[in-house]
Amino acid sequence: MKSTKLIYLEDSYQTNIEATVVNITKIGKKYSVILDQTIFYPQSGGQPADTGVIEGETGKFIVDHVKLDDGLIIHQGTLEGTVEPQQKVTATIDWNARYKNMQTHTAGHLIDEAVKNLSPEFQGIDGMHGINNQQYIEFNGFINESYKSEITDYLQKNKNLDQPIISETVTLAEIKKRGILLPFEPSKNKPVRVVSFGDNPPVPDAGTQLKNSNEVWPILLTDFEYQDGNTRIHYTLTPPAKKELPETKEATTKDTSLAEFQQQIDALANEIKQDEVLSNEAFQQKYSSKKGKFNQLAKSIKSVSPKDRGTAGKLLNQLKLTINSQANKQADTKKQEWFDVTLPGIKPQLGHAHLISQTIKEVESIFASLGFVRRRYQEIETDWYYAEGLNIPKDHPARDDQETFYFSDNVVLTAHTSNGQLREMEFLKEPPIKMINIGKTYRRQASNTHSPMFHQFEGLLVDKNINMSHLVGVSNYFAQHYFGPDREIRLRPHHFQFTEPSFEVDINCNVCKGTGSIHGHKCKVCKSGWLELGGAGMVHPTVLKNGGIDPNKYSGFAFGWGIERIIMMKHQVTDNLRQLYTDDLRFLQQG
Ligand code: PHE
């Protein structure tokens, strides 16, 4: 049979059409009608099927379900009178229901556009637009509920913008010419139906769409549901107020005898057995849903006299079993349901390196561009490399500065990366030494800004004629490459046992531009115009000697700065270092 011509793809607003009957078949009490062309939308892509009537001179066919099967639109329903092949008929859809479905469908797409606008990383991967009263768009990844207002604002703005929504069918040539990006490879001989919202790029779509964003009823995002790493954004629409429908009168109740009740049960059981043409969903809807026929009958048990209710209950249970077994049979024999192959595919989630790892790499490459070689020395260290050899004698008060974890008198968990200085001198034996030692360090501390484990990067440059201007130059180079071209450093005198002279290196604050105040108020980020990067200085001759290097021939500088510290400085975070170590995806996914 020739494929049905899908007029609803060309014009979603057409409510009736003249057509010719191609085929009509009967299974049980139900009929299936195929027309040469139709405006009836088949259930697919999350949008429910249209309902309506197909009328000819000799009969009337009430359409209660529509499906697409191998290019053919199958209208299912009941027949009054006769309808024959070749006959001319008028097909009319229930416009109110269709318009509501279009509203829901277009609204879903607009939410998709809004979320993509928030971050192009999110992909709409599934959607329900009214089937089983479900309305949601599912996105890959985690979308924090706090974005609700941002998405809502976007939707609101879009509606007010009066954006045209253009549905069109494009050929491969056009796709190429217009540079349309599709999430699948378009085929040569099958044009693709796409829809574009305002200026946004077209997306594939095979449903019915409104013509303008200002037509969409107000969208309310109701709830964010998270499962399997995805986020479902549920929504509802607020249709314009219409006249209240007159209340239907409750039918007057009269007692039902057990025999009558049994008759009703039998009748329903028969109907269920013959009802084979229904899709699984329609079957559930008709019999097992809240408003389904089983529930209606179950409710009427109240009208059976109390003495017979037990027996009536048993009959109901049997009927339930019949429904279940029939539903299972249907599920077994049910043909593969039509699905929209033009829907975007599921994009696998991609991970990325943690912010700390990213920063280590960045620091490594900034120093590599100056010829520094990346090293990583041990975290469990003897007292010599960690302190004694760095000119900190056993009883020296400088030992109190660092809250060190000791394994024994002689073995520590390193509280700084300066042990790498002696290790590198021993390793290379002869300058030039240009080392950037990045590693973990440990201190007995825990607060919002201090963690017991953190990372340091230790620079060491030893060569002939190295002086302080080299330290200033390298520090500035780092500040400008990591923090930004307009940043600069200053040196503040300080004391370390292993350097002489020693300094704290500060970087000017970019919030207050180094002034320490904004509009007459103290700058909240730096308080003084400068942010402390960490310690540095000219390597002490004793340390060079301890490393086996002649201090009369060579000189050098060293610095030791914190990875977490520079991350916090760069992002102007002042009080939540701990986030760097949690598994909160909302934080981690920002990287
Ligand atoms: N080791 C010092 C600290 O952890 C930093 C430092 C390294 C100072 C190198 C001078 C030279 O605070």
Side-chain angles (χ1 to χ4, degrees):
M1 243 180 276
K2 233 173 99 190
S3 296
T4 316
K5 206 166 164 214
L6 311 178
I7 305 298
Y8 61 83
L9 285 185
E10 291 162 23
D11 182 1
S12 300
Y13 285 71
Q14 195 168 331
T15 55
N16 59 55
I17 190 172
E18 304 294 318
T20 307
V21 178
V22 174
N23 194 19
I24 174 160
T25 48
K26 183 183 181 194
I27 305 172
K29 283 182 183 166
K30 287 276 173 173
Y31 287 83
S32 289
V33 170
I34 298 171
L35 304 175
D36 61 340
Q37 56 175 354
T38 192
I39 47 165
F40 276 83
Y41 183 75
Q43 176 165 315
S44 56
Q47 183 179 325
D50 284 328
T51 52
V53 288
I54 296 174
E55 263 174 306
E57 264 179 11
T58 52
K60 186 173 172 185
F61 181 65
I62 318 279
V63 181
D64 56 32
H65 192 68
V66 186
K67 59 182 190 179
L68 179 65
D69 191 355
D70 209 11
L72 296 174
I73 297 282
I74 320 243
H75 308 82
Q76 298 177 323
T78 47
L79 182 63
E80 292 164 15
T82 59
V83 167
E84 304 287 338
Q86 308 307 326
Q87 205 179 348
K88 293 259 177 278
V89 285
T90 308
T92 311
I93 53 169
D94 175 347
W95 173 246
N96 283 342
R98 153 69 80 78
Y99 192 67
K100 185 163 180 263
N101 290 341
M102 268 159 69
Q103 282 284 349
T104 314
H105 180 217
T106 301
H109 274 267
L110 289 177
I111 294 172
D112 184 43
E113 295 294 340
V115 171
K116 271 195 278 190
N117 178 267
L118 206 64
S119 161
E121 246 182 72
F122 295 121
Q123 289 275 342
I125 52 172
D126 196 8
M128 268 296 192
H129 313 299
I131 295 173
N132 290 343
N133 280 330
Q134 298 230 63
Q135 288 167 200
Y136 62 79
I137 299 286
E138 184 165 335
F139 297 91
N140 64 337
F142 179 89
I143 303 172
N144 196 320
E145 189 151 3
S146 62
Y147 286 126
K148 203 187 239 183
S149 57
E150 247 172 288
I151 302 171
T152 308
D153 284 353
Y154 181 93
L155 291 169
Q156 193 64 35
K157 229 188 332 165
N158 238 289
K159 181 174 165 60
N160 294 340
L161 276 183
D162 195 351
Q163 305 247 41
I165 299 170
I166 294 166
S167 306
E168 54 190 329
T169 304
V170 286
T171 60
L172 185 64
E174 263 175 284
I175 292 171
K176 290 219 166 114
K177 201 170 114 201
R178 285 166 57 185
I180 299 176
L181 288 174
L182 295 175
F184 53 87
E185 194 57 44
S187 104
K188 235 191 202 151
N189 27 26
K190 192 173 172 272
V192 181
R193 167 56 150 41
V194 292
V195 59
S196 39
F197 298 84
D199 295 334
N200 295 335
V203 291
D205 176 60
T208 58
Q209 295 277 7
L210 298 174
K211 280 184 186 153
N212 191 301
S213 65
N214 65 13
E215 243 184 271
V216 186
W217 297 333
I219 304 170
L220 184 70
L221 305 184
T222 49
D223 115 74
F224 284 48
E225 185 191 354
Y226 304 106
Q227 52 180 3
D228 302 332
N230 294 336
T231 307
R232 280 185 180 178
I233 301 186
H234 294 263
Y235 63 99
T236 60
L237 302 177
T238 321
K242 52 173 185 264
K243 270 184 262 142
E244 290 269 332
L245 289 170
E247 264 191 42
T248 47
K249 260 200 202 140
E250 284 265 324
T252 42
T253 45
K254 72 167 178 43
D255 274 2
T256 316
S257 72
L258 187 61
E260 271 175 273
F261 193 71
Q262 166 112 47
Q263 251 176 22
Q264 288 168 9
I265 295 239
D266 289 347
L268 189 53
N270 266 340
E271 186 181 341
I272 288 164
K273 279 183 193 148
Q274 285 173 13
D275 218 352
E276 277 167 333
V277 271
L278 284 189
S279 75
N280 215 22
E281 264 164 50
F283 184 89
Q284 295 281 353
Q285 182 104 18
K286 186 166 173 189
Y287 298 111
S288 330
S289 68
K290 234 183 185 171
K291 289 193 175 143
K293 292 197 171 187
F294 177 81
N295 264 357
Q296 274 171 15
L297 196 54
K299 270 186 212 149
S300 71
I301 198 171
K302 275 190 260 159
S303 61
V304 176
S305 70
K307 70 173 172 38
D308 289 332
R309 266 189 215 159
T311 325
K314 279 185 196 142
L315 291 171
L316 270 176
N317 281 340
Q318 268 163 13
L319 179 64
K320 184 96 209 170
L321 292 177
T322 314
I323 292 180
N324 288 349
S325 79
Q326 191 67 17
N328 287 341
K329 242 193 254 163
Q330 295 233 353
D332 287 346
T333 55
K334 196 179 62 144
K335 281 204 213 121
Q336 184 78 45
E337 273 219 5
W338 186 83
F339 72 97
D340 187 351
V341 292
T342 62
L343 278 177
I346 298 174
K347 191 179 154 200
Q349 279 197 58
L350 290 183
H352 60 72
H354 188 276
L355 186 54
I356 291 182
S357 304
Q358 287 180 26
T359 309
I360 288 175
K361 278 252 164 307
E362 196 180 343
V363 168
E364 178 183 345
S365 78
I366 291 172
F367 284 102
S369 67
L370 291 176
F372 284 75
V373 178
R374 163 88 192 266
R375 295 276 192 245
R376 184 166 180 188
Y377 284 111
Q378 47 263 64
E379 295 159 19
I380 297 175
E381 187 58 285
T382 59
D383 190 71
W384 169 258
Y385 292 98
Y386 168 71
E388 188 94 35
L390 290 176
N391 199 26
I392 316 176
K394 274 242 150 48
D395 51 359
H396 196 279
R399 291 226 179 196
D400 298 343
D401 290 353
Q402 286 171 359
E403 300 253 274
T404 311
F405 289 107
Y406 280 86
F407 287 102
S408 67
D409 277 357
N410 193 33
V411 181
V412 298
L413 261 179
T414 49
H416 60 190
T417 41
S418 299
N419 61 318
Q421 294 190 24
L422 288 172
R423 291 261 172 208
E424 182 74 357
M425 291 179 203
E426 275 189 9
F427 177 68
L428 288 185
K429 295 192 176 70
E430 211 42 54
I433 296 173
K434 272 178 138 184
M435 165 194 86
I436 186 80
N437 172 31
I438 313 182
K440 289 197 175 97
T441 45
Y442 303 85
R443 290 187 194 179
R444 291 177 48 189
Q445 59 182 18
S447 72
N448 276 347
T449 47
H450 294 86
S451 122
M453 187 282 295
F454 58 102
H455 299 76
Q456 274 196 345
F457 52 112
E458 181 97 7
L460 175 69
L461 195 155
V462 183
D463 206 347
K464 285 186 180 138
N465 303 320
I466 295 300
N467 58 45
M468 269 177 50
S469 66
H470 298 115
L471 168 61
V472 172
V474 168
S475 303
N476 263 322
Y477 182 89
F478 171 73
Q480 282 153 17
H481 283 78
Y482 180 73
F483 292 102
D486 53 347
R487 306 298 283 272
E488 41 181 276
I489 61 128
R490 75 170 182 191
L491 299 183
R492 207 161 19 90
H494 199 72
H495 173 79
F496 295 105
Q497 281 293 108
F498 34 94
T499 47
E500 181 56 35
S502 302
F503 308 96
E504 289 280 21
V505 179
D506 293 341
I507 292 195
N508 64 341
C509 170
N510 72 333
V511 173
C512 61
K513 303 284 170 238
T515 60
S517 67
I518 299 171
H519 306 308
H521 296 284
K522 214 177 217 180
C523 173
K524 282 205 179 104
V525 173
C526 66
K527 301 191 179 86
S528 65
W530 296 89
L531 292 153
E532 182 191 314
L533 183 59
M538 301 308 292
V539 183
H540 198 288
T542 309
V543 176
L544 287 174
K545 239 186 270 162
N546 289 343
I549 286 167
D550 182 356
N552 296 319
K553 231 164 120 189
Y554 296 107
S555 56
F557 67 81
F559 56 84
W561 301 332
I563 293 282
E564 286 82 348
R565 183 157 184 83
I566 59 170
I567 293 175
M568 288 171 73
M569 281 163 75
K570 187 171 190 168
H571 300 285
Q572 289 146 23
V573 178
T574 46
D575 59 356
N576 55 356
L577 168 76
R578 284 173 218 237
Q579 276 186 326
L580 286 170
Y581 306 113
T582 64
D583 56 3
D584 186 343
L585 286 178
R586 287 171 299 183
F587 176 79
L588 296 175
Q589 280 176 341
Q590 295 174 61

